[in-house]
Amino acid sequence: MKPAPFKYARATTVDEAVAALAEYGPEARILAGGQSLLQEMNLRQTRPTHLIDINAIESLDDIREEDGALVIGALARHRAVESSDVVRRVQPVLADAASRIAHFQVRNRGTLGGSLAQNNPGGEYGVVALLLDAEIRVVGPAGERTIPARDFFTGHYETALARDELVTEVRFPALPPGTRTAFDELTQRHGHLPFVSAAAAVRVEGGAVAEARLALGNVSKGVPVRVAAGDSLAGRELTDDVLDAFEQAVAAEVQPDLAADEAAAYVEGLGRVLGRRTMELAGEDYRRRVAGVLARRTVQTAYENAGR
């Protein structure tokens, strides 16, 4: 299929992009990597009146370390995040997550800011942003503001970003010294969106956990979540018994509550594409079990890395 008719505008500065959004109204859309947007347009799921291309704004693709934090421009491609020496040194979990996104063709064009702004429930960046207490900087007609990751994601494909705002950069604060991280996800096959994803950060002192953070994706109302069960690991060595209890606690805590209409569409789509046997993957019990297993795996990996 082809997209519905639209008008095209090209912005060379952030101010031009903001002015275009204000001029063309709420049906205008920002074109960054376009890997999701263009597909939705071809399927007539989205029918923007205007596309505002921001790829010519050179200031938005920067990757740098700033006062110990990692700062990444909204136009940084997934491949750039995945391969950046700065990212791998300062926040390696972000590079690990970027390497799991779709296929290399998509990673060559898709962008960090576009992925966060779309908030696909299976997106990898949202989980890491929440884990690291990231700050998303956005610009609109009223000026610039910074939105904490915990407030940015609001629902299935919904964020706190206003229609006349665009993401300019994301700041990932430094973790406490000695903290190690891990990322994992479950997909039907390589390149597919994950059914559940997990990111963990663990700091170890004297062989015991001093601090443990855990974030999960695609398990609650279309937004990534920080899991409270991670707090229970403080002061403990991660023995098999402790990990068993932790896995069960995570499975009990998450609430993979797909809305009824979304669940029906999801199941129908799985049935068409993957066969009826995989339709159970839309079920709550399955996602709970997967969440517990991935939580255990990522926390244990981060713990072992921190203990070295």
Side-chain angles (χ1 to χ4, degrees):
M1 295 181 66
K2 295 182 179 180
F6 63 89
K7 294 184 178 180
Y8 172 87
R10 183 172 180 267
T12 58
T13 67
V14 171
D15 288 343
E16 285 182 7
V18 171
L21 283 171
E23 178 182 355
Y24 300 137
E27 298 306 317
R29 295 289 298 273
I30 292 292
L31 175 63
Q35 298 305 289
S36 297
L37 175 60
L38 295 181
Q39 183 182 49
E40 292 171 2
M41 290 173 62
N42 285 336
L43 295 173
R44 303 293 178 101
Q45 295 172 333
T46 298
R47 301 187 181 202
T49 57
H50 293 75
L51 282 189
I52 304 166
D53 189 343
I54 63 171
N55 282 278
I57 307 178
E58 296 181 357
S59 62
L60 294 186
D61 64 356
D62 191 27
I63 299 177
R64 66 187 186 275
E65 184 180 7
E66 188 176 272
D67 298 327
L70 177 67
V71 181
I72 303 181
L75 277 181
R77 311 292 172 179
H78 304 321
R79 177 57 181 160
V81 175
E82 173 188 1
S83 60
S84 167
D85 291 337
V86 175
V87 175
R88 291 202 167 275
R89 175 171 54 82
V90 180
Q91 294 288 9
V93 67
L94 190 61
D96 291 343
S99 71
R100 306 290 192 97
I101 296 174
H103 301 281
F104 72 88
Q105 297 97 328
V106 173
R107 295 199 297 275
N108 285 340
R109 291 299 303 166
T111 64
L112 174 76
S115 179
L116 290 173
Q118 186 198 31
N119 188 28
N120 186 307
E124 287 83 357
Y125 285 140
V127 180
V128 178
L130 195 64
L131 178 82
L132 300 178
D133 293 324
E135 299 171 338
I136 296 96
R137 295 176 181 170
V138 306
V139 176
E144 182 179 272
R145 65 185 179 121
T146 298
I147 308 174
R150 64 179 178 273
D151 300 326
F152 186 77
F153 309 103
T154 59
H156 293 89
Y157 298 96
E158 295 178 353
T159 70
L161 188 69
R163 276 294 191 180
D164 56 359
E165 293 179 319
L166 74 152
V167 177
T168 56
E169 67 180 21
V170 184
R171 182 178 184 274
F172 299 90
L175 290 167
T179 303
R180 296 295 181 265
T181 55
F183 180 89
D184 204 354
E185 63 184 23
L186 175 69
T187 63
Q188 177 68 21
R189 56 173 64 93
H190 171 70
H192 283 204
L193 284 168
F195 297 117
V196 178
S197 55
V202 177
R203 180 167 56 89
V204 175
E205 292 180 357
V209 173
E211 179 187 11
R213 301 183 191 179
L214 174 69
L216 296 173
N218 218 7
V219 296
S220 179
K221 300 179 181 178
V223 300
V225 293
R226 281 277 284 271
V227 179
D231 298 337
S232 67
L233 300 177
R236 310 183 72 177
E237 295 185 11
L238 296 192
T239 63
D240 287 342
D241 288 343
V242 170
L243 288 169
D244 287 343
F246 172 67
E247 179 179 334
Q248 294 172 14
V250 170
E253 181 178 342
V254 299
Q255 298 180 0
D257 52 352
L258 289 173
D261 56 344
E262 182 183 3
Y266 185 72
V267 169
E268 181 184 354
L270 283 176
R272 285 198 311 269
V273 178
L274 304 176
R276 296 193 61 83
R277 182 173 179 275
T278 62
M279 289 167 61
E280 69 179 31
L281 297 179
E284 180 178 333
D285 291 341
Y286 183 86
R287 289 191 183 213
R288 285 183 183 277
R289 294 198 302 272
V290 171
V293 170
L294 286 183
R296 175 183 184 138
R297 186 182 300 170
T298 53
V299 165
Q300 186 172 14
T301 298
Y303 174 79
E304 292 171 352
N305 290 339
R308 295 189 181 116

